[in-house]
Amino acid sequence: MEYTNHFDSPLGGITLASDGEALTGLWFDGQKYFGATLTGEREEREFSVFQQAKQWLDIYFTGKDPGFIPPLLMKTTPFRKAVWKIMLEIPFGETMTYGEIAGKIAKEKGLKKMSARAVGGAVGHNAIALMIPCHRVVGTNGSLTGYAGGIEKKVRLLAMEKAGEW
């Protein structure tokens, strides 16, 4: 059984998903790939992990680093999980390029190089937005490339974190 809950953010509705113990999804309502990791029956419920996620979101949307992350369960492929784990390392208010992530993945796998385009696909399919901060990933020249929640939201999130001039 999968469980969902809802949060009203300053940027619109957010749907949270959980297995009852860890957060498995966080999407802006209507975003690209919305609910992609939801597979079976779901029920609207309240769990401790949802309360923790809402506390995190309340702090985050004041423009502050919450300083903690609720338990997460990444339901994805090993490659995407590796990319998502690197995104978790991007500090609040900072950015990283697709190429930098590709370089880290290549180094971890003992490869000469890794495709930034492949990394982009993994970033774009991030199922736990905001907490796994895909909005902090930018193009090589600092350009704001795609964001499943929409470029306008990406701009607002980066501005809120004071992560550059957008």
Side-chain angles (χ1 to χ4, degrees):
M1 176 69 79
E2 295 176 300
Y3 304 97
T4 58
N5 209 288
H6 197 265
F7 180 83
D8 290 317
S9 87
L11 298 182
I14 291 176
T15 296
L16 305 163
S18 174
D19 63 358
E21 295 181 20
L23 201 64
T24 59
L26 189 160
W27 305 273
F28 284 105
D29 293 346
Q31 80 170 49
K32 192 174 185 180
Y33 311 120
F34 177 87
T37 59
L38 295 174
T39 57
E41 283 186 47
R42 355 182 217 280
E43 183 180 315
E44 183 86 11
R45 291 275 299 270
E46 189 62 61
F47 286 104
S48 172
V49 71
F50 287 142
Q51 293 168 353
Q52 291 172 51
K54 290 176 183 181
Q55 179 185 16
W56 188 97
L57 290 164
D58 281 336
I59 295 167
Y60 178 79
F61 281 112
T62 66
K64 296 180 180 138
D65 181 352
F68 72 97
I69 293 188
L72 305 179
L73 176 62
M74 299 178 209
K75 295 167 54 177
T76 191
T77 66
F79 176 72
R80 287 181 182 172
K81 189 178 285 189
V83 171
W84 296 2
K85 284 182 177 181
I86 290 171
M87 287 191 295
L88 279 168
E89 298 170 6
I90 306 171
F92 182 91
E94 295 183 27
T95 59
M96 182 178 278
T97 68
Y98 295 94
E100 288 172 324
I101 294 173
K104 284 181 173 256
I105 297 284
K107 186 175 181 180
E108 286 175 9
K109 294 187 176 284
L111 303 171
K112 285 187 178 180
K113 65 182 207 171
M114 168 62 61
S115 164
R117 186 174 298 255
V119 167
V123 170
H125 285 82
N126 174 21
I128 308 174
L130 302 175
M131 291 182 190
I132 299 177
C134 51
H135 62 281
R136 295 181 190 147
V137 181
V138 298
T140 301
N141 60 359
S143 62
L144 298 184
T145 57
Y147 181 62
I151 287 291
E152 179 182 299
K153 282 186 177 76
K154 183 171 186 163
V155 168
R156 290 185 62 190
L157 293 167
L158 290 173
M160 183 183 70
E161 292 187 22
K162 297 172 182 60
E165 299 298 318
W166 315 107

